[in-house]
Amino acid sequence: MHDEGESTYFLDQLCTIAVCGLIGFTAVSLYMKGWLSSRFQLIERFHIPVLVAGIALLVLIVLRGIAVWRLAGQTRGIAQPPEEDHHGHDHAHGHDHAHSHAHAHAHAEPKKAMEDHGHAHGDGGHDHGWSPWQYAILIIPAVLYFLDLPRDGYNQTRLDADLRYVELDPGIKSQRIALAGVAGGMILPSFQKSGRINLRFSELAAHAATKRSREALEGYTVVLEGYFKTIPGKENEFQLFRVKVNCCGTDSITLQSRIIAPPKFLREMKYMDWVKIEGELSFQKIAGSNDWMPVIQIPDDGTIQKLTAPSDPNKDV
């Protein structure tokens, strides 16, 4: 029974070493292949810690493997029966009973120590029993890696949900246009602001959240870069968006702006093209919500530039 417990203990140790080795190998491989960024959307400052953790885990399993190998060797030595004396010496001689008694105890000590080790674990409720289910859970990251999962890019289902079309209530600019029509077109120029501002999506979203910022930026010409997405059924509108990753893909958010442009520009673009636009900024409230969306109108004589997407799409969002 004791031998069976030892076998189970060593089987458990070997499985643990194998699983931890796979996890360490997976961590190092994810870093080397660049999948931490492209597939898991993990921000760059966590890439080196993942690599270091993978290497440390591989070093630890090598050390643990050596320790288990040595322990197994000691256990085999204890389990071997004492060799018979072929030189005619009789251990059962009766001249010194105390010597025989001590000799027996000396041989029994290592084995007794192993038994005491097992009893101590048993008394403490610790069981060396082999539990395959725990390895099935730990091995999941490695299995996904060898199955080539997840695929590159942001989850498309989630992205489609984030970019679903929403109706916008008329914003300040629409009110100005209506007022300008009543006043004979004289009031509109007084609301337009001179100047050209380069903005990031995170900055634009922050300005859209406060009334003071919306009023301050309303009417400025802004320059913005992002991914292109058409709006079904709209000939002169499209969405420009970026994905902001705070830590990894799980906590990422999609930032977007509604773009109004001449139809000729839309015919030249396709989904996920990286484009640079320039136009007049306004803000419109999302219907049925307290949130506001930035809206940029590109004039007829304006341009949309198709550029090469950045190597790190999570940078400077």
Side-chain angles (χ1 to χ4, degrees):
M1 193 69 171
H2 181 68
D3 291 340
E4 182 181 350
E6 288 181 0
S7 299
T8 301
Y9 170 76
F10 285 114
L11 177 61
D12 179 76
Q13 290 296 302
L14 292 175
C15 289
T16 301
I17 290 172
V19 170
C20 291
L22 280 174
I23 294 175
F25 170 80
T26 300
V28 174
S29 297
L30 290 175
Y31 176 85
M32 299 301 294
K33 292 186 176 182
W35 288 4
L36 294 175
S37 177
S38 64
R39 300 196 176 191
F40 291 92
Q41 302 290 317
L42 188 67
I43 59 177
E44 189 174 357
R45 71 171 179 265
F46 292 126
H47 292 187
I48 295 298
V50 170
L51 175 63
V52 171
I55 294 174
L57 189 56
L58 291 175
V59 172
L60 287 175
I61 66 168
V62 169
L63 297 177
R64 183 56 184 167
I66 294 173
V68 171
W69 178 73
R70 294 183 62 183
L71 180 61
Q74 293 173 1
T75 304
R76 284 197 301 269
I78 293 171
Q80 289 178 354
E83 295 182 0
E84 294 182 1
D85 192 344
H86 296 288
H87 296 287
H89 182 71
D90 184 6
H91 283 287
H93 55 355
H95 73 276
D96 191 350
H97 179 74
H99 167 75
S100 176
H101 185 73
H103 187 66
H105 274 293
H107 279 292
E109 282 302 321
K111 185 174 181 180
K112 184 176 183 301
M114 288 293 294
E115 291 175 353
D116 289 343
H117 171 77
H119 286 306
H121 279 302
D123 294 340
H126 181 72
D127 185 11
H128 283 310
W130 191 57
S131 303
W133 60 266
Q134 65 185 358
Y135 306 109
I137 294 175
L138 291 173
I139 207 172
I140 289 176
V143 171
L144 293 176
Y145 169 78
F146 287 109
L147 290 176
D148 200 28
L149 295 173
R151 306 296 182 187
D152 283 336
Y154 192 71
N155 183 277
Q156 191 59 50
T157 302
R158 179 179 173 184
L159 186 58
D160 290 340
D162 291 343
L163 294 175
R164 68 186 183 279
Y165 179 77
V166 292
E167 294 288 347
L168 301 178
D169 288 337
I172 299 174
K173 182 178 179 180
S174 297
Q175 298 172 9
R176 294 205 315 263
I177 293 174
L179 186 59
V182 173
M186 298 300 296
I187 195 171
L188 184 59
S190 64
F191 284 90
Q192 294 175 334
K193 299 182 177 73
S194 61
R196 184 170 173 270
I197 306 173
N198 287 277
L199 289 176
R200 294 183 296 179
F201 271 84
S202 56
E203 296 171 335
L204 199 55
H207 290 309
T210 61
K211 181 178 179 181
R212 177 176 296 181
S213 294
R214 292 195 299 268
E215 292 177 348
L217 288 179
E218 184 87 21
Y220 273 110
T221 297
V222 298
V223 179
L224 191 65
E225 294 184 22
Y227 292 109
F228 175 94
K229 183 181 184 299
T230 58
I231 300 176
K234 301 292 183 178
E235 295 183 353
N236 66 333
E237 294 183 21
F238 66 90
Q239 291 166 303
L240 200 66
F241 72 93
R242 293 284 303 273
V243 177
K244 179 177 175 58
V245 179
N246 296 312
C247 175
C248 61
T250 304
D251 63 4
S252 57
I253 57 175
T254 305
L255 303 175
Q256 60 172 304
S257 177
R258 185 73 56 83
I259 311 299
I260 302 174
K264 62 180 181 179
F265 293 128
L266 278 67
R267 292 192 291 266
E268 300 173 358
M269 302 296 169
K270 61 180 183 296
Y271 178 57
M272 292 299 289
D273 277 345
W274 183 267
V275 298
K276 179 179 180 180
I277 66 158
E278 183 175 337
E280 184 184 349
L281 174 66
S282 64
F283 296 92
Q284 294 187 29
K285 189 176 182 181
I286 298 175
S289 171
N290 291 324
D291 297 329
W292 291 72
M293 181 181 293
V295 178
I296 301 173
Q297 183 164 359
I298 301 174
D300 291 338
D301 59 350
T303 59
I304 296 180
Q305 293 179 270
K306 185 188 296 186
L307 305 174
T308 301
S311 57
D312 185 1
N314 300 324
K315 187 177 181 180
D316 296 330
V317 178

